[in-house]
Amino acid sequence: MIWTPGTARAARRIAAAAALGGGSVTLLGAVTYGLLLAEAMVARRAVGRPHGMDGPPSDGVYGAFGGEPIRMAMLGDSTSVGLGTTDPAETPAVLIANGLAVIAERPVRLTVAGRSGATSAELGDQVDEALKARPEIAVIFIGANDVTSQTIPAQAVRHLQKAVRRLREAGAEVVVGTCPDLGTVRPIAQPLRWVTRRWSRQLAAAQTVAVVEAGGRTVAFADLLGPEFDMNPSEMFGLDRYHPSSQGYLQIAYAVLPSVCSALELWPEPRVQRAESIYLAAAKAAEEPGAEVSATRVAGRATGPQGRWVTLLGRRPGKRPDSA
């Protein structure tokens, strides 16, 4: 696992600015942001548009089991709704719901509140919609559009943290898939591919800090689809070469499902867990696809000299659930 101390420092700064209501200066600076936005527009023209502007309708009950359904809500951006797919069964929300139903041996009632193109600032309305269904578990995929829309990092993190807190206060467990590494998207050219990679991972680390502080847990998307894109782009990415294909969405769902089940106490936790500082763990997780970060205690204490204690689990797809 490779990580940079700078990511941990950036996560601390962004989280602090979010807590204080600040964040007027971006990580990369106004000039670089302007270049990033221009490059994003060029990349968007290059990749075109997927089929439709949103995912297929996916609300419903999944799993052929008896008993009271587990209530699950999906919030976030185009990845949360499976943009580019035409079959609800291929969307991440339905894939996770079906997997959860099998493990719990109970049906799952799914409510999808996510919207294509959503930024963190739009999570408030999504939470309003999700809370009507009284979810027991909420999954959020967010962050990519905060990068391409030039959202100030602390503002994006503050909106996400508020959404998580509202869901937790309503009794829902929360799992957040953090900002993916946009540096793996090939229509974005160098040198801005390196810029987007740095920015994406620093935002992901700050999201982790904010989510855990609010009572949720995170799963790092990082470059979850990067190696597969290099080896087989036609299989892992959709026709627009930007959003995942059905196979790509399957891998995303497979990465998130163990954390969803753990949050509901349906998945065995590892026997040996090592506690780390939240900032160090957030920086490491930003570099490790599928890594989960959740709060823990050391000697009965939730915090230590370097902030909140957390557990970092390497839940990379293909690993055993007790792997660290």
Side-chain angles (χ1 to χ4, degrees):
M1 184 184 297
I2 301 173
W3 67 281
T4 61
T7 303
R9 290 193 294 269
R12 185 190 291 267
R13 288 197 302 270
I14 296 170
L20 295 173
S24 60
V25 179
T26 66
L27 284 177
L28 302 178
V31 174
T32 303
Y33 253 112
L35 291 173
L36 175 58
L37 181 61
E39 185 64 37
M41 294 174 64
V42 171
R44 179 60 71 185
R45 287 196 295 269
V47 302
R49 294 287 183 179
H51 296 300
M53 293 304 295
D54 225 324
S58 303
D59 288 18
V61 179
Y62 296 91
F65 300 94
E68 183 69 19
I70 298 171
R71 299 182 300 277
M72 171 182 159
M74 174 65 85
L75 303 84
D77 55 23
S78 57
T79 304
S80 75
V81 300
L83 183 63
T85 63
T86 57
D87 183 351
E90 296 179 340
T91 65
V94 174
L95 289 166
I96 294 170
N98 277 324
L100 176 58
V102 169
I103 293 172
E105 297 185 343
R106 287 172 57 191
V108 174
R109 185 180 301 278
L110 174 65
T111 300
V112 179
R115 296 290 183 271
S116 178
T119 63
S120 296
E122 298 169 65
L123 287 176
D125 290 339
Q126 294 187 21
V127 172
D128 290 341
E129 181 179 346
L131 288 180
K132 296 175 184 177
R134 299 180 296 110
E136 298 167 71
I137 179 73
V139 180
I140 305 174
F141 294 169
I142 201 74
N145 294 317
D146 290 305
V147 176
T148 58
S149 66
Q150 305 181 76
T151 301
I152 293 172
Q155 291 181 358
V157 168
R158 187 161 57 250
H159 286 300
L160 174 58
Q161 187 172 57
K162 182 178 180 179
V164 174
R165 280 185 173 146
R166 288 183 61 199
L167 290 163
R168 292 291 292 127
E169 288 169 357
E173 298 293 336
V174 182
V175 177
V176 175
T178 57
C179 182
D181 179 1
L182 298 181
T184 64
V185 178
R186 290 301 178 263
I188 298 178
Q190 293 288 19
L192 290 199
R193 191 184 302 162
W194 178 87
V195 173
T196 56
R197 166 162 292 179
R198 178 169 174 257
W199 157 239
S200 300
R201 296 196 176 194
Q202 289 184 353
L203 179 58
Q207 287 177 317
T208 294
V209 174
V211 169
V212 174
E213 291 284 0
R217 62 181 70 199
T218 61
V219 177
F221 283 172
D223 59 349
L224 187 63
L225 300 175
E228 287 77 9
F229 181 93
D230 287 334
M231 292 185 290
N232 196 350
S234 63
E235 179 180 344
M236 297 306 295
F237 274 64
L239 295 177
D240 65 355
R241 296 183 294 142
Y242 186 86
H243 292 91
S245 65
S246 57
Q247 184 63 32
Y249 284 128
L250 177 62
Q251 181 155 327
I252 289 173
Y254 186 61
V256 173
L257 179 59
S259 296
V260 169
C261 294
S262 291
L264 293 172
E265 299 183 347
L266 297 171
W267 195 273
E269 294 288 2
R271 296 176 183 176
V272 179
Q273 299 187 27
R274 188 179 67 182
E276 297 194 54
S277 157
I278 189 171
Y279 301 107
L280 178 62
K284 290 181 177 180
E287 307 288 338
E288 180 66 22
E292 177 195 295
V293 179
S294 59
T296 191
R297 288 178 175 270
V298 174
R301 300 176 67 89
T303 59
Q306 300 299 318
R308 183 175 294 276
W309 290 115
V310 299
T311 298
L312 174 65
L313 300 177
R315 296 193 189 274
R316 182 194 297 270
K319 279 192 174 185
R320 290 169 52 86
D322 58 349
S323 297

